[in-house]
Every structure is written in structure tokens, then in C-alpha cells.
Amino acid sequence: MSFANEAVAGCAAGVIGTVFGYPFDVLKTRMQTAQTSLGATAKSIVQESGVKGFYVGLMSPLVALTILNTMNFTAYNFMCETFKVRGDRSEDGRFLRTGGSSFMTGNYAIAGASVGPLAALISTPFEMVKTQVQLQRKTQVDPSIRPKGSLHMAIAIVREHGPLALFRGHVVNTTREVVFLGTYFMVYEHGKDVLQSLLPSLDTNQPNKIAIPLAGGIAGAIGWFVSFPLDNVKSNIQGGRIVAGTSPPSMISVARQVLAQKGVRGLYSGVVPSITRSFIVSATRFSVYESVLQHLRQLERDYSP
């Protein structure tokens, strides 16, 4: 396996998926922190900044998620090789159901979850900056000044509170990444296999073209639904004002506060735009990833000596 091919395909998937899904992410963050409805949140964003308000702070996630997706796909495939997960599949990518292989193997979940702690090292500071920008937080030194863009916000946070402030909510975000990535890759791998069986391709050596985006969309939706309460807690921790000399609230205390105010439904505030975004982004992401990977492998075969 060429991990360089995996990296290039993951990079392409990260760029396209981020551009498609970012407006939904802005809605999700605003709904989680303000506890308002989808319609009210969208109206508020348009009134404040117009349509461009849905793309406030895009540069940070565009860079970070491109790096993150490149790393996630490459590390995931490395973990699959390490745990010998690929041995459970046939040449065309389908699961083997004979010879003692288990169809619903948990190895894909383990491989995906193993990437979580590494992914969180990138996603925590990125999520912190993105959340502060999306909520239009003002600086503590001069409350009248709003940082313009992700880089300005990151510099302001580090200057006023030190670099560790970028890792606010790191514990809950690491937990979220482990839960999400384990679910995400397992559902995709098994979902693609099931859909390939239900929707056979004209080319028996290639997966059905509908199976990939549909499996990817389902994997994204389920992965986000399962991990969404953790994402909600993370957003509330990272979205709060940073006060010098004080520690951020703990994951448990924030969860209790949300439950006390809104009940279990409060932990799923913003779930509709998030699930919608995740389905669209993941369907796009896996389609781009598989397509680019297929073309790179074909180029290798064509130009190999």
C-alpha cells in the first residue's frame, strides 16, 4: 500500500468536504452555544453579517481539516495494516464471510479509534479558534476589538492567555475524536460492503458508484449522532469567554449544566444542521477520496516498469 497515495487522496477529500460543509458547521456551533432554533440562528447570522457570515473563519478549518483529513486517512490505513484488518477483505474490497472471518468485525472500529488521540492534537486548537471566530468573541485586552479571521484570533488568544489556551477542551475533544472516528470508519467499511451487495456494479472489480457516497454519508451521520453530545460539551467549553487566571469548566460540569437547563435534548441542540452537514460532507469526502485513490493507483500501474 502506498501511504503517499492515501495522503494525496485524503488531502483532496479534506479541501472539497470542508468547503461544502462549513455553513452547516457555523449553524451548529451557534445553535449549541446560544440554544436557539435553526431558523432563528440562520436569521441572526444573515442579519449580522449577510450570507458571508456562513463562511466566517473558513480559512482555519480549510487548512486544519485538509491537514487533519490527510493525516486521518493515512493513519487509519496504517492502523488497518498494523491490525491486519485488510486480511478480512477480498481483492475487490468486499468482506470475506468464510474461513472464520467475522462480517461485523470490530477491527475497523479499533483502527479508526486509534487515530483519535493523534487527530485531537490538531483538531483541538483548530476547533478552539474556529469556535471563537464563529461566535465573534472580542479580545480581553480591548473588548471593543473583534479579531478579524482565524489567524488574528489565534494570535490574540496566544498573546493574551498563552499557547495552552488553544487546547481548551482537549480532553472532551480527544474523547469525541475516538468515538467519532471509530464509528465513522467502521460504519463506512461495513456500509459500503452491504451496499455493494445490494447495488452490484457493472464492473465487478469496482464498487458501485452509489455505494461509496451513500455509505460515506450514512457513516458521517451516524458518527456525528453518536458523538454529538461530546461535541456539544466541547463547543460550550471552547465557546466561553477566556478569563485570565481561571480554569475552563470541566466536561462533567458543562454536561450537567446543559442537562439541568435543557435536559437530554440540550445535548443534541444543533444536531439537525450537523447531521445534514456530516452526510453531505462525508458523502463528498469519501467519493473524492476513493476516486482520487483509484486514479493514483491506475497511474502507478500504467507507469510502473
Side-chain angles (χ1 to χ4, degrees):
M1 173 181 290
S2 172
F3 290 113
N5 287 350
E6 301 287 344
V8 172
C11 178
V15 171
I16 295 175
T18 301
V19 172
F20 267 91
Y22 191 74
F24 295 99
D25 192 65
V26 172
L27 281 168
K28 181 263 297 182
T29 302
R30 288 286 192 100
M31 289 177 70
Q32 286 178 335
T33 53
Q35 298 290 316
T36 54
S37 68
L38 175 60
T41 304
K43 183 178 179 180
S44 174
I45 293 172
V46 172
Q47 288 177 339
E48 289 176 11
S49 309
V51 176
K52 68 179 182 180
F54 290 101
Y55 281 94
V56 170
L58 173 62
M59 189 53 63
S60 172
L62 188 60
V63 173
L65 287 177
T66 298
I67 296 171
L68 189 61
N69 275 276
T70 303
M71 186 199 70
N72 281 351
F73 279 102
T74 306
Y76 168 69
N77 281 280
F78 174 78
M79 290 299 179
C80 284
E81 291 290 310
T82 301
F83 295 125
K84 303 188 185 303
V85 176
R86 298 302 180 191
D88 289 340
R89 308 204 75 152
S90 62
E91 289 297 321
D92 66 352
R94 300 191 183 200
F95 285 102
L96 297 173
R97 295 179 176 82
T98 58
S101 292
S102 171
F103 171 54
M104 288 306 290
T105 175
N107 287 351
Y108 285 99
I110 295 171
S114 299
V115 181
L118 183 61
L121 292 174
I122 296 175
S123 65
T124 297
F126 143 66
E127 289 282 343
M128 176 63 186
V129 172
K130 181 195 71 174
T131 300
Q132 291 284 315
V133 171
Q134 287 178 350
L135 297 177
Q136 296 288 299
R137 291 301 188 205
K138 299 178 182 179
T139 66
Q140 299 297 319
V141 173
D142 186 348
S144 66
I145 298 176
R146 277 196 178 100
K148 298 178 180 179
S150 301
L151 181 59
H152 192 186
M153 177 63 81
I155 293 172
I157 291 174
V158 172
R159 184 178 65 244
E160 296 170 16
H161 307 286
L164 289 181
L166 293 174
F167 285 87
R168 186 183 177 102
H170 184 61
V171 173
V172 66
N173 187 53
T174 301
T175 307
R176 181 191 67 83
E177 290 282 14
V178 168
V179 172
F180 173 74
L181 291 173
T183 305
Y184 188 58
F185 283 111
M186 183 184 72
V187 172
Y188 173 71
E189 298 282 10
H190 290 293
K192 185 174 70 171
D193 186 67
V194 170
L195 289 168
Q196 279 182 247
S197 299
L198 295 175
L199 305 168
S201 175
L202 295 176
D203 183 351
T204 56
N205 292 320
Q206 297 297 332
N208 183 282
K209 293 187 182 299
I210 299 176
I212 291 174
L214 191 54
I218 292 171
I222 293 177
W224 266 102
F225 184 81
V226 170
S227 62
F228 197 79
L230 292 167
D231 185 75
N232 196 317
V233 171
K234 173 194 68 66
S235 292
N236 277 280
I237 292 174
Q238 294 185 329
R241 294 194 180 279
I242 309 173
V243 181
T246 64
S247 299
S250 69
M251 177 171 63
I252 300 299
S253 65
V254 171
R256 284 176 176 171
Q257 182 180 8
V258 174
L259 285 170
Q261 292 176 350
K262 296 284 185 176
V264 175
R265 289 180 60 185
L267 291 174
Y268 281 92
S269 179
V271 73
V272 173
S274 182
I275 294 298
T276 303
R277 175 194 68 87
S278 191
F279 186 94
I280 295 171
V281 169
S282 296
T284 304
R285 184 176 291 158
F286 275 109
S287 295
V288 172
Y289 171 77
E290 296 278 13
S291 177
V292 171
L293 196 60
Q294 180 183 339
H295 281 87
L296 290 173
R297 287 171 176 170
Q298 185 60 50
L299 285 173
E300 281 188 341
R301 288 191 291 268
D302 292 343
Y303 291 96
S304 60

